[in-house]
Amino acid sequence: MITMDENLNGIKIVLLDLDGTVYLGGVPIPGALEFLERCKERDVKTIFLSNNSSKSVNQYLAKLKSIGINTVEENILLSTHDCIQWLKAKGWNKVYCLGTNGMKDMMEKGGIECLEDGVDCVVLGYDTELTYQKLSQATILLHQEIPLVATHPDIVCPSEMGGLPDVGAMLKMIEATTKVQPIVITGKPRAEMILGHLEKEGFSVSEVAMIGDRLYTDMEMARAAGVTSVLVLSGEATQADLENYEWRPDVVVDSVSNLFPNSA
């Protein structure tokens, strides 16, 4: 059992990472469903937060329901949302989307047109439907000095069989091919991804905890936004990673099963 600080008094909302925190390989992490029940009992609101841009909100709703978690669209916040927000603020509404059909659906519904050419930028998401033709078209556009935007920085997507290549790994391949780096990487750890949402919900940062399994995204976002940082060691981060990191999150536990214990 990892040494932990159970001082989460005053927390009224948890921003809960999914991959590696709530489930791993599509299977709930032991104790995760019970933790969500304890949140309900304590009247702590749960917002499911993920950098995984391979799925749309509706696909996440269906996935969560399939493992026994019922929530609503408003309680799911993805890196794709943050990317759309950034693009609209920039005034860019025509993109080449190197992403899944689910991501493209979200882009289109958000007012971003997905085209093959004549675009403001190339947007790279976690494309689990990646083909060589799609990758080639993206690199052709980048060679034409079309800027690159990425939905999130994660290098691997955790699975029960080990890490799988995510956007960060794809960015390295694109850079090796084109020497192009993204002008912005949205999603976690960008504080903007959550601060606007929290303001809309009416919560102050002192009432918020960010729970996740990655130091360089989940915990860095918590620190940047000024909310309580809770690291779980059920996904990517290990105890060795934590010991070698430059700072320690506010709370460190083996998994969410250790949070809000019934005896508290």
Side-chain angles (χ1 to χ4, degrees):
M1 175 66 186
I2 302 302
T3 302
M4 62 174 280
D5 175 4
E6 294 181 1
N7 185 19
L8 292 176
N9 293 331
I11 295 299
K12 297 181 180 178
I13 180 171
V14 292
L15 304 171
L16 197 59
D17 176 58
L18 289 171
D19 295 325
T21 302
V22 174
Y23 54 72
L24 195 60
V27 178
I29 285 171
L33 299 183
E34 291 80 1
F35 164 72
L36 293 174
E37 283 300 316
R38 293 196 297 275
C39 287
K40 287 181 183 178
E41 292 167 4
R42 291 168 177 255
D43 199 27
V44 173
K45 184 168 186 176
T46 53
I47 300 291
F48 296 100
L49 192 71
S50 179
N51 264 1
N52 188 337
S53 54
S54 69
K55 296 180 177 63
S56 67
V57 171
N58 286 336
Q59 287 173 315
Y60 266 110
L61 286 171
K63 180 180 180 67
L64 289 170
K65 186 176 182 180
S66 73
I67 61 173
I69 301 172
N70 290 307
T71 188
V72 294
E73 181 177 345
E74 292 74 22
N75 290 343
I76 294 179
L77 189 58
L78 308 177
S79 62
T80 309
H81 288 117
D82 191 37
C83 186
I84 291 170
Q85 182 180 3
W86 186 91
L87 290 169
K88 294 178 85 169
K90 186 78 171 175
W92 289 355
N93 57 14
K94 295 181 179 180
V95 308
Y96 179 78
C97 182
L98 190 58
T100 62
N101 288 329
M103 178 180 166
K104 289 178 182 177
D105 287 344
M106 279 191 65
M107 286 280 185
E108 296 278 358
K109 289 176 182 177
I112 306 296
E113 196 173 357
C114 296
L115 303 171
E116 293 293 310
D117 208 342
V119 297
D120 299 308
C121 66
V122 173
V123 176
L124 171 65
Y126 180 29
D127 192 356
T128 56
E129 300 161 1
L130 184 65
T131 66
Y132 192 78
Q133 187 279 326
K134 291 166 67 177
L135 184 61
S136 297
Q137 180 59 21
T139 56
I140 288 168
L141 291 170
L142 295 175
H143 284 311
Q144 296 171 6
E145 299 187 353
I146 301 296
L148 175 64
V149 170
T151 57
H152 59 281
D154 301 45
I155 297 169
V156 299
C157 181
S159 82
E160 71 276 16
M161 295 174 288
L164 304 177
D166 206 325
V167 167
M170 296 177 188
L171 282 173
K172 291 183 181 297
M173 176 173 59
I174 289 172
E175 182 182 2
T177 305
T178 66
K179 296 183 170 57
V180 172
Q181 294 184 346
I183 61 170
V184 68
I185 301 177
T186 60
K188 298 180 287 185
R190 261 174 47 97
E192 294 88 344
M193 181 176 175
I194 60 172
L195 288 177
H197 192 83
L198 294 176
E199 184 178 357
K200 184 175 67 175
E201 292 273 357
F203 291 100
S204 67
V205 293
S206 64
E207 298 172 318
V208 182
M210 173 70 216
I211 305 173
D213 68 307
R214 299 182 191 222
L215 289 161
Y216 66 96
T217 55
D218 301 318
M219 297 302 98
E220 289 297 340
M221 168 179 268
R223 183 163 74 160
V227 304
T228 299
S229 52
V230 182
L231 178 70
V232 292
L233 300 178
S234 53
E236 181 177 311
T238 65
Q239 179 66 18
D241 294 331
L242 178 63
E243 291 170 357
N244 294 323
Y245 209 62
E246 61 185 22
W247 62 281
R248 185 179 180 87
D250 298 311
V251 179
V252 181
V253 290
D254 286 335
S255 75
V256 292
S257 66
N258 302 121
L259 298 172
F260 295 146
N262 286 323
S263 58

